[in-house]
Structures are given as C-alpha cells and as structure tokens.
Amino acid sequence: MAPSNPLRVSATALLEWRRRCLGQGGHAADLDWLLDLAGGVAWSELQALRLHPDRQLTLSLSLEDLAGLWNQHLATAVPLQYLVGLCPWRDLQLQVAPGVLIPRQETELLVELALALSPPTDSSLLWADLGTGSGCLALALARAWPASLGLAVDLSAEALAIARSNWQLGGVQEQITPLQGHWWEPLRPWWGRLDLVVANPPYIPSAVVDTLDPVVRDHEPRLALDGGIDGLAALRCIAANAAEALAPGGLLLLEHHHDQSAAVLALLVAAALQDVEAAADLEGNLRFALARRAPQPPAAR
C-alpha cells in the first residue's frame, strides 16, 4: 500500500480545516493569506473549491504545518509575514523578517507618484531611498528604471542585509548602493546631485505606537514606526536638508500619517522647496507630500 501524501488533500478536507482554524480565532483574510503564501492555494482557487468539494489539491505545506504557523500567530501575535518570511507587494515577493517594517499597500502609491512625476528617461537618473527597510521602494524603482542608479539608506544593518537579499533576488543589486546611517548624512558625497528622493520614514507619534495592535506594536521594529512626540521628527529632519541634497529641480516624495498633511507641507515650504503639494491614497486620505528644489537659474548671457 502506497504511503499517504500529507501535501495532497481534498477540497472538503481543506475547507473543514479552514473552518476549524477560524474557530480558534483570528481573521479569515489572514488565514487565507497564509494558505496562499505558505500553502500555495490562491484566494480565487479557494473560493472555487466550494463548488468542487471532491477536487484534490497538492499543497506547498501540509495542513499540520500550516496549522502550526496559524496557532503560533494566534498565541504570540507574530505577523504571519514574519512567520512565512514573505510579503507580497506590488508585483514582488519580498523577503521580510523582524528587523524590517512589513511593507504596506499604501506605500505602493509612492512608487506610482515617482514614476509619474520623474523624467521619462532613466539613463542618467540618480535617486535615493531614505529608510529603505526591506528595500521595497528601491527594488521597485530600480526595476522600473534599469539604467538608473540608486542609493538606499538605513540606520539598521539588519534591515540593509534583508534589503540586499531582496535586491539580489530581484536582479537589481548592481544598480543600488546600500548606505548605513541617519537620513541624509550617508548621502553627503552626492548632495546637490539627487534627481529624486523617496522616503517612508517613521511617522507615528510615540504615544500612539504604544496603543497599536500587538501584531505591530510588539513585533515590528519600533525604529521604523516611532516618529517622536508629534510623529514629525524624521520628516522634520528630511525636509530640513532637502534643498541642499536635491539636484536643482530635484523631486522629494514623502509618505506620512493620514492626519499630518498640513504639518508636512508646512515643513517643506519652510525648507524653501517649491511646488509643494499633497497627494491622496486609495481611500482619499492625504498621505503623501511632494516638493521640488528650485531649478537652476538660466546662465546670464
């Protein structure tokens, strides 16, 4: 008699397993995400199983192993992304670990803004990503502009190691120079030459961080969340040096908290930047700010 295959299950068995897991707690969307990323069962496929209860599936992990990950998540509030080691973002599969912030869907729009507002040619484009974390923004920009050169800054050596791994997997490691340090400081050799700078810095007020869901508060790096007393500490620092660091006409794109738009725009105006504007996320919240350094005046004749 052939040995049973723990990765081979019927639709009925899988749906019953799912029902039992949700009976222990947690959110259906999170469990379905686990089934997709770790089990290899896409959400659309999972929905179709209800119509085909006799269908047989081959999983990437056994139901026992998937249940172990789910129970660990419920017991410890460790994000499933950390337990699986992956996070889907845009068209990418990013490696993530406790040393980096888990990329959020709204940050995808920062890439779209950069692509829409930057020059159409990338042959000489020099850009930087401040607080690169997992390297998601840098990876997306490098893939979009294969002839460009990027600089990616983070204070955390652990984050830079994970970012390097993502860039290598994405085939863009030769385009991106990783730099460890505090915001603009590692970029001093390139000050005045940066055509584009993007940043998704920590912007949550310290007191608010303490009230976040345990899955975020207790496991994601506080360094990537805590923006100081008013949430603007990092944004204030970035705005202050932007006019020196950007190339003439260079573009700065920032993500911030949903209620900080007026304050961030004021910081950019105070820093003598031009064309200061706000941009909304998919839910209509003003979550992004953009500004430019003044262009080079025409040479006198």
Side-chain angles (χ1 to χ4, degrees), residues 121-281:
T121 177
D122 68 322
S123 59
S124 61
L125 194 65
L126 178 64
W127 51 265
D129 175 17
L130 300 181
T132 195
S134 67
C136 60
L137 287 171
L139 174 54
L141 294 177
R143 283 173 46 128
W145 296 319
S148 71
L149 292 176
L151 308 163
V153 176
D154 207 286
L155 190 59
S156 166
E158 187 177 2
L160 284 175
I162 295 169
R164 285 192 195 96
S165 179
N166 280 318
W167 301 332
Q168 185 172 11
L169 290 171
V172 300
Q173 69 272 24
E174 299 301 324
Q175 282 179 256
I176 305 171
T177 300
L179 300 164
Q180 186 177 3
H182 189 262
W183 303 123
W184 295 108
E185 285 306 308
L187 294 172
R188 277 191 176 272
W190 296 274
W191 277 27
R193 296 167 47 201
L194 298 168
D195 301 300
L196 167 71
V197 174
V198 297
N200 177 24
Y203 50 68
I204 303 175
S206 302
V208 176
V209 174
D210 294 329
T211 69
L212 296 176
D213 191 292
V215 75
V216 176
R217 181 194 66 214
D218 297 342
H219 298 286
E220 296 198 63
R222 187 161 187 131
L223 182 67
L225 296 169
D226 194 333
I229 294 175
D230 61 358
L232 298 173
L235 289 155
R236 195 174 284 115
C237 179
I238 293 170
N241 293 115
E244 290 181 87
L246 290 169
L251 175 65
L252 175 66
L253 290 172
L254 301 173
E255 181 174 334
H256 53 72
H257 207 239
H258 63 82
D259 58 358
Q260 292 173 337
S261 181
V264 174
L265 296 186
L267 290 174
L268 297 175
V269 170
L273 295 172
Q274 297 186 352
D275 302 329
V276 176
E277 295 182 46
D281 60 20

Side-chain angles (χ1 to χ4, degrees), residues 3 34 43 80 89-90 120 131 164 170 172 201 208 214 249 291-292:
L34 178 64
W43 184 86
L80 287 168
W89 188 81
R90 283 176 61 87
R164 285 192 195 96
V172 300
V208 176
R292 292 186 184 274

